[in-house]
Amino acid sequence: MSLNFALILFVLLVVTGIAWALDRWVLQPQRRARAIAAGERFDNVSAPSIRASSGDAEAARLRQEAVSQAARAPWWVEYSASFFPVILFVFTLRSFIVEPFRIPSGSMIPTLQVGDLILVNKFTYGIRLPILNNKVIPFNDPKRGDVVVFRYPVDPQIDYIKRVVGLPGDEVAYLNKRLTVNGKVVPTAAAGDYFDPDRVTYTQRFTETFDGVDHDILNDPGRSGEIGMVSSFPNMNACTYSREGVRCTVPAGNYFMMGDNRDNSLDSRYWGFMPEANIVGKAFFVWMNFSDLKRIGRFH
């Protein structure tokens, strides 16, 4: 959906930009010439009789009408030229600086709720060409614990949001409901029960820590860690599945992504690795939730 909107916005930018340039460099000079000619024609043909019958004020008014009519731009030029700066601003803002998204599912509960309207930083991980998404100016790389919006590898027309748990070269294991990275268990601490609105039940909440930064996850130890309905994906031979869960070595140029709602998230455990080329940006701020205004603010 985001890709389609970006393409539509780009087409509108091109169309209105051409109209703006055509008007500025070709049509405006033509209209100015017509306006001058209309004024001279009025002065030579109509002005004497109008001044004699109705006075100078009426002659000046009618002259201004004739000049304005000759200088008037066609409606399609006027609208296109007016909208171009606005479309250019929006396109630049959402392509290179920040883009809004809406959270459609509960896979990132409790960090993000269904209906959260979030902002995504588009330049944290480098400047990318609009539409093509090719990185042209590299900056930072994603870190473990970052919440990232990316194009779903199975269908790049769809945007997904998950948390980075594995970097290129990492060995990530999710066995018996415990996450380990490079042989080290990711620290967690019990944080009480949480009412999960998706399942209309209570589940256990934990605080998980990546590189000194805390975030909350949901994880029901009573549910099986076995992973079913796994799709075939590139580099699938880098993963080993068992009744306890999955163990993967993240290939170069890829990341292992997981949702914070560990028992209700379709993530890298099921569809594989997220290529670096699919990254859209880093999610960092809830700017609105119409059901709960207290949710506005930054998140980790």
Side-chain angles (χ1 to χ4, degrees):
M1 182 66 72
S2 176
L3 182 61
N4 290 338
F5 181 75
L7 183 59
I8 292 171
L9 197 62
F10 178 73
V11 171
L12 289 174
L13 178 68
V14 171
V15 171
T16 56
I18 291 173
W20 178 86
L22 179 67
D23 183 53
R24 182 176 181 85
W25 305 114
V26 178
L27 301 181
Q28 281 188 15
Q30 292 178 356
R31 292 200 302 274
R32 282 195 294 268
R34 289 200 304 269
I36 293 172
E40 292 176 348
R41 186 167 53 252
F42 184 90
D43 291 340
N44 296 328
V45 177
S46 305
S49 59
I50 294 174
R51 289 194 183 96
S53 60
S54 303
D56 291 343
E58 181 65 11
R61 186 185 68 81
L62 293 176
R63 186 184 191 281
Q64 183 58 46
E65 285 185 0
V67 170
S68 298
Q69 182 66 31
R72 186 171 300 162
W75 67 268
W76 60 271
V77 172
E78 186 174 352
Y79 277 97
S80 298
S82 299
F83 280 122
F84 172 67
V86 177
I87 295 175
L88 177 61
F89 174 78
V90 173
F91 182 81
T92 302
L93 182 69
R94 75 183 307 275
S95 296
F96 301 108
I97 302 174
V98 67
E99 183 174 357
F101 285 87
R102 182 182 184 276
I103 301 300
S105 72
S107 69
M108 284 297 291
I109 291 174
T111 304
L112 295 171
Q113 305 284 343
V114 176
D116 279 350
L117 301 176
I118 66 169
L119 295 178
V120 174
N121 187 319
K122 298 296 291 287
F123 61 84
T124 295
Y125 304 133
I127 302 298
R128 296 174 182 269
L129 292 176
I131 312 302
L132 300 177
N133 209 42
N134 295 334
K135 184 184 290 187
V136 291
I137 303 177
F139 290 152
N140 307 305
D141 294 321
K143 301 189 299 291
R144 298 185 196 95
D146 285 358
V147 179
V148 174
V149 171
F150 57 94
R151 294 176 181 173
Y152 182 34
V154 178
D155 182 0
Q157 298 292 328
I158 301 173
D159 290 320
Y160 263 34
I161 182 168
K162 306 291 179 187
R163 191 178 297 276
V164 177
V165 301
L167 305 179
D170 283 349
E171 183 187 69
V172 178
Y174 190 72
L175 303 171
N176 298 315
K177 313 301 292 292
R178 294 303 303 272
L179 177 63
T180 64
V181 178
N182 297 325
K184 297 181 180 180
V185 176
V186 177
T188 58
D193 291 336
Y194 179 85
F195 181 74
D196 186 348
D198 273 5
R199 298 171 55 213
V200 197
T201 186
Y202 284 91
T203 190
Q204 288 189 265
R205 181 174 186 157
F206 296 86
T207 298
E208 188 175 73
T209 304
F210 272 116
D211 299 328
V213 179
D214 296 338
H215 61 270
D216 285 350
I217 64 170
L218 302 183
N219 197 345
D220 185 354
R223 295 183 62 176
S224 170
E226 186 175 3
I227 299 169
M229 300 295 291
V230 177
S231 304
S232 178
F233 54 85
N235 298 300
M236 193 172 185
N237 58 354
C239 296
T240 302
Y241 288 88
S242 65
R243 296 194 63 176
E244 289 76 30
V246 61
R247 183 188 302 274
C248 296
T249 299
V250 184
N254 288 266
Y255 296 86
F256 198 91
M257 315 296 292
M258 291 184 69
D260 289 348
N261 193 351
R262 295 288 162 80
D263 296 311
N264 295 279
S265 174
L266 182 64
D267 50 38
S268 287
R269 294 172 289 177
Y270 299 90
W271 45 255
F273 307 105
M274 188 271 292
E276 191 276 339
N278 286 43
I279 291 175
V280 173
K282 181 181 179 180
F284 69 100
F285 193 85
V286 176
W287 64 272
M288 179 56 72
N289 185 309
F290 293 103
S291 300
D292 185 1
L293 297 181
K294 296 190 297 294
R295 291 196 48 73
I296 296 175
R298 295 184 68 91
F299 59 85
H300 296 288

